[in-house]
Every structure is written in C-alpha cells, then in structure tokens.
C-alpha cells in the first residue's frame, strides 16, 4: 500500500474511534488512546524497517561502472552506476557512462565493481547492446551477481513514491552506495522547443521529431548517479533509470538557466533492450 493510502486509512480509523470515544468513560478513552498510539507507532516502524530491508537488497545488486586501465590508473576509474538484471549476467547503465572509446594501445576494459569501500569484486563487462535514443547500455558480465526485479512496463503516476541507489560523485567519494528518496513529480517529454534558433542543435532537432515521455523526479541525483536504478520503496522493483546527460543535452539546454531537476528513463525501455539480446 502506498504511503498516501496508509495515511488516509489511518486518518479514517482515528475519526471513527474518536466518535466511539464520546460514548465511553475517561479511563476507557485513555486506554484506547494508548492502544491507538502503540498500533500507529508499530505500523510506522514496520514500514521503515521494510524500506531498510529493500535498500539493503537493492544495494547488493547495484554496481559501480568503471574503466579498468592498469597502465594508466592504479585502480579502476569510476564512471557511473549500474544495476544487475535478467539472470544475473547482465548490467544496465546509461550509454554515456560507457561511451568512451577504449584505447587499443593499452589493456583497457569496462568493469563493474560490486561491494563497498575497499572490499569490492571487479568483474569484466562488455557492451552488447545500446539504445542511443534513451541513453541506455546493456553490459554482459564475466560472472554472475544477484539481479533486481523489473516492474511491469506501465508508467507510474505522478505522486508515486520512489527511491534510487547509486554512487554519487563515486570517482571522488569512492565505492560507497547512497540512497535517496522522493516521488515522481511529473511525466514530461524528453525535449522541449527552443526559444530561439540559436539554442537548437542537431540532437535536439532529432529528438523533437520523436519525443519520448520520461519521469521528472522530486529527488536530487548527482554526478555519478547516472545509471542508478529507481525503484518502488515497498517492493524494490525497478521502475526506471536515472539519467542526467540525455535531458541536459535536449530538454534543459533549451532553457537559459538549467533547473538541475532530476529525470529518469522508464523501465519499459530496459525491458526492450534486454529482450533484443536474450530472445
């Protein structure tokens, strides 16, 4: 049950009981009041514990995406975030996170880093499919990790609660996953017309011819969160993928002052990318 639904049920129950209080004595009122308080508190604590458990499970399947170049860097260079899908042998991230061309003169590979701090497992990853329009990439892993469950392909409604986990500013702060919580504030096109021709570029013009709907979030994503899974806080099912660059290049670049609002690609495009490879 969504938080808003739980609140409505709680308010309704309190009103019904308040009317009942008028018919009982003072001692019974106090007893009933204490009972309601304890029940309400325990319900809230169970909900919070449920969210903690969901975050723990999602974190185990959320990975840092990095470039491993031993001849250039002492350790893999963190580029963004990804998450494990399908049978555990694939990961999803934003395409711009893995768009850097690997230098053939050096031993370079994209890898996923699973774990936290200095206790991480490094797994080689190969790009097997990309979706340029939605800035998504599917990576094939050399070994298995625990996958996340994808939600259905339907769009969530504005006001729906969400959370996302990733590695904000991971290149500086290191492999320490952080979780943010908020809600979907709007469903919006991924491009808007420019106010004048000087603000148009080729990418914007192409996107205006084929607009997609994306989620606008009431939650702040930071550099490094690109590719983070956004998910239902009660079930952990993935509903979308955090994306900053795609929108900044096409939607917010049409504004004289970018807003810094966070956006996400709906999960239906992840379903499509996986099915193109596995079916």
């Amino acid at each position: 049950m969504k938080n808003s639904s739980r609140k409505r049920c709680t308010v309704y129950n309190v009103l019904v009981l308040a009317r009942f209080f008028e018919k009982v004595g003072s001692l019974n009122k106090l007893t009933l009041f204490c009972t309601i308080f304890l029940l309400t508190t325990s319900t809230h604590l169970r909900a919070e514990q449920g969210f903690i458990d969901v975050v723990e499970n999602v974190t185990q399947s959320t990975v840092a995406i990095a470039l491993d170049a031993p001849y250039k860097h002492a350790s893999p260079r963190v580029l963004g975030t990804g998450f494990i899908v399908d049978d555990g042998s694939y990961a999803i991230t934003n395409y711009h996170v893995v768009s850097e061309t690997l230098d053939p003169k050096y031993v370079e590979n994209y890898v996923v880093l699973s774990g936290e701090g200095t206790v991480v497992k490094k797994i080689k990853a190969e790009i097997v499919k990309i979706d340029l329009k939605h800035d998504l990439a599917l990576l094939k892993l050399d070994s298995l990790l625990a996958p996340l469950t994808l939600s259905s392909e339907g769009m969530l409604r504005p006001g729906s609660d969400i959370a996302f986990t990733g590695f904000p500013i991971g290149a500086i702060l290191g492999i320490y996953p952080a979780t943010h919580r908020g809600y979907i504030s709007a469903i919006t096109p991924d491009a808007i017309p420019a106010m004048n021709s000087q603000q148009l570029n080729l990418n914007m013009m192409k996107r205006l011819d084929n607009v997609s709907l994306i989620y606008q979030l009431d939650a702040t994503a930071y550099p490094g969160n690109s590719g983070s899974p956004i998910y239902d806080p009660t079930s952990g099912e993935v509903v979308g993928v955090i994306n900053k660059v795609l929108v900044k290049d096409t939607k917010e670049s049409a504004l004289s002052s970018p807003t810094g609002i966070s956006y996400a690609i709906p999960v239906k495009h992840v379903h499509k990318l996986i099915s193109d490879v596995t079916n």
Side-chain angles (χ1 to χ4, degrees), residues 192 199 201-208 249-250 253-254:
I192 57 176
Q199 294 175 314
N201 58 45
L202 182 60
N203 286 337
M204 288 177 61
M205 293 176 67
K206 288 181 179 179
R207 193 163 297 281
L208 286 169
D249 284 345
T250 56
S253 59

Side-chain angles (χ1 to χ4, degrees), residues 13-30 32-33 36:
N13 291 336
V14 169
L15 290 175
V16 171
L17 288 170
R19 292 170 184 168
F20 178 71
F21 284 167
E22 297 175 358
K23 301 180 180 180
V24 300
S26 298
L27 181 58
N28 288 336
K29 287 182 181 180
L30 178 60
L32 287 172
F33 177 81
I36 292 171

Side-chain angles (χ1 to χ4, degrees), residues 164 185 215-222 242-244 247 252 259-264:
F164 59 89
S185 57
Y215 294 127
Q216 180 177 314
L217 308 179
D218 185 56
T220 303
Y222 297 91
I242 290 290
N243 185 289
K244 295 288 285 185
V247 177
E252 292 195 23
T259 63
I261 296 171
S262 299
Y263 298 92

Side-chain angles (χ1 to χ4, degrees), residues 81-120:
T81 302
F83 57 97
I84 309 303
V85 295
D86 198 53
D87 62 355
S89 65
Y90 293 94
I92 287 286
T93 188
N94 287 157
Y95 170 67
H96 75 263
V97 171
V98 291
S99 61
E100 186 174 331
T101 302
L102 301 180
D103 192 336
K105 294 184 297 183
Y106 301 94
V107 180
E108 292 185 333
N109 293 292
Y110 285 114
V111 295
V112 302
L113 305 176
S114 175
E116 181 176 330
T118 59
V119 184
V120 296

